[in-house]
Amino acid sequence: MQIVDRYLKSLKSCLPAAQADDIINELSENISSQIDDQEGDLGRTLTEPEVEAILKQHGHPLVVASRYRQEQRSVSFGRQVIGPALFPFYLRVLKFNLGLTGVIVFVFAALFASGQPIGTFPQVFFYQLSIQFAIVTLIFWLMDQHFTKFPDRWDPRKPYGMRSPAMTLPEDSARLPRAKPISQLIGLAVGLIWLRAVQHSQFLIFGPAAAFLSLSPAWSRFYVPIVALILLGMIHAGINAIRPDWVRFHWLMSIATRIGELMLCYFLIRAGSLVVSVNASGPVDYPRVAQIVNQISHYPIWFSAVLSIVRLAKDLRQLILGAARSVPIGHAEQKS
């Protein structure tokens, strides 16, 4: 039945790739056995609502998938805050946001290399981590509370809607797990809030060094393109969360994002000085400090460019393979 197939496909996208086929085969047999038993007792074919009731007994795909993970990890502060079902996606968002904190690490590494005292670096570093950890944890806690309070608010009968051949793969192919784009949406939203805050308080990047360092005027030209890339990513994630069957759309948007990232890296490198000294006099040669920061800041930009090229190649490969045959997206994503 289509309703069972949709349920199993959603579940498979949340399972570890190495175990997915075996687990799905086992669950498929169990569900088929339950349906056959009830049909034998009733002497007729089950209706779709009756099949739905059987699927709801098994549970939401995220909850069922969490039972098969070897490590049942969660977040607790006295009591459980984020359960095992959402924990893998919570961890993924935290890792994403560590990239923002990595910018601060590079800046302070440059200050250390210039001989500038950075005694308050640990406080600033943990301040950044604390803000990001608190925002992400709060969002996932609200999601977990809703998930726990309304465990049956999901509809296995709900179709994906009209299929677009230009955006979707064949019906029998796997779909994007909804939890992944939701995690990306949260992470990008936190990044956008942080970027907006940096515009008003550069202490969030430089810490105490904001007294003598500032972002150069060149950054004003890059603010809009950076925000545009973040918004593009949020639109991409939002559409994938609503239409997980739009697999080709996912790869096309990923390719567009990678190209945008490469263009941004190119113009950042061409911009020259990204940091300037706002205090030319003092016991320390502040212009020299700014020069060292600019030299070191190019390394993460080059690294980002190389990473974008690698990801662009993988996205193009997946798009080409997807055009030729059905590609299990969950497997392809994990291998990437």
Side-chain angles (χ1 to χ4, degrees):
M1 296 182 69
Q2 286 189 357
I3 185 174
V4 177
D5 292 339
R6 283 195 294 267
Y7 177 79
L8 293 174
K9 286 172 185 175
S10 298
L11 178 56
K12 185 176 181 179
S13 65
C14 302
L15 290 168
Q19 303 171 280
D21 289 334
D22 293 337
I23 293 171
I24 291 300
N25 290 336
E26 179 186 341
L27 284 172
S28 179
E29 291 177 4
N30 291 341
I31 293 171
S32 297
S33 178
Q34 286 182 272
I35 292 174
D36 291 341
D37 289 344
Q38 287 197 24
E39 288 180 341
D41 293 340
L42 297 172
R44 61 174 173 79
T45 302
L46 293 184
T47 63
E48 199 166 79
E50 289 171 335
V51 176
E52 177 191 358
I54 292 175
L55 296 179
K56 286 199 170 184
Q57 288 176 4
H58 283 267
H60 191 284
L62 280 175
V63 176
V64 177
S66 69
R67 297 173 190 154
Y68 289 93
R69 295 193 189 103
Q70 294 180 350
E71 297 183 4
Q72 294 291 311
R73 294 184 292 177
S74 61
V75 178
S76 300
F77 297 100
R79 64 175 185 173
Q80 182 173 285
V81 177
I82 299 171
L86 292 177
F87 181 82
F89 308 101
Y90 167 74
L91 191 62
R92 186 178 298 163
V93 173
L94 284 182
K95 289 179 179 178
F96 174 84
N97 282 279
L98 278 176
L100 298 177
T101 309
V103 175
I104 302 170
V105 174
F106 274 106
V107 170
F108 276 89
L111 293 176
F112 178 78
S114 68
Q116 176 67 21
I118 55 172
T120 57
F121 167 65
Q123 293 92 322
V124 175
F125 181 73
F126 285 111
Y127 173 70
Q128 289 286 334
L129 285 180
S130 299
I131 291 176
Q132 296 177 33
F133 175 79
I135 294 174
V136 173
T137 302
L138 175 62
I139 293 172
F140 272 90
W141 173 75
L142 292 172
M143 292 171 60
D144 192 82
Q145 288 293 303
H146 178 82
F147 200 67
T148 304
K149 190 174 181 180
F150 306 106
D152 295 328
R153 284 198 177 178
W154 59 283
D155 187 3
R157 295 176 304 171
K158 187 177 181 181
Y160 284 105
M162 296 180 62
R163 291 177 54 79
S164 169
M167 294 298 175
T168 60
L169 290 180
E171 180 67 30
D172 59 349
S173 64
R175 288 159 168 78
L176 297 165
R178 276 194 170 96
K180 180 172 182 179
I182 291 173
S183 301
Q184 291 174 338
L185 194 61
I186 295 170
L188 289 169
V190 172
L192 189 61
I193 293 170
W194 180 84
L195 185 64
R196 181 63 178 171
V198 165
Q199 238 194 343
H200 298 284
S201 176
Q202 295 187 19
F203 180 87
L204 293 173
I205 293 181
F206 299 115
F212 56 88
L213 289 180
S214 175
L215 295 175
S216 72
W219 274 104
S220 61
R221 302 198 306 267
F222 299 117
Y223 179 77
V224 172
I226 292 173
V227 170
L229 275 177
I230 294 175
L231 292 177
L232 179 66
M234 294 177 72
I235 293 171
H236 176 192
I239 292 176
N240 280 150
I242 297 170
R243 295 300 303 261
D245 59 328
W246 283 17
V247 180
R248 289 196 179 98
F249 172 83
H250 165 70
W251 296 123
L252 288 169
M253 287 292 284
S254 294
I255 290 169
T257 302
R258 305 305 176 207
I259 293 173
E261 290 171 352
L262 285 172
M263 292 176 63
L264 181 62
C265 289
Y266 171 77
F267 286 114
L268 282 172
I269 293 170
R270 288 288 304 271
S273 298
L274 301 175
V275 176
V276 295
S277 170
V278 295
N279 190 349
S281 61
V284 178
D285 187 358
Y286 293 129
R288 174 60 179 165
V289 173
Q291 182 183 1
I292 294 174
V293 171
N294 282 312
Q295 290 172 350
I296 293 181
S297 65
H298 280 81
Y299 292 110
I301 297 174
W302 277 107
F303 176 78
S304 298
V306 172
L307 193 61
S308 293
I309 291 172
V310 172
R311 289 177 173 173
L312 176 61
K314 289 183 177 180
D315 292 338
L316 286 169
R317 178 176 175 271
Q318 294 299 337
L319 182 64
I320 294 169
L321 289 176
R325 55 185 170 85
S326 174
V327 180
I329 300 305
H331 294 192
E333 289 280 2
Q334 291 183 18
K335 287 179 182 178
S336 297

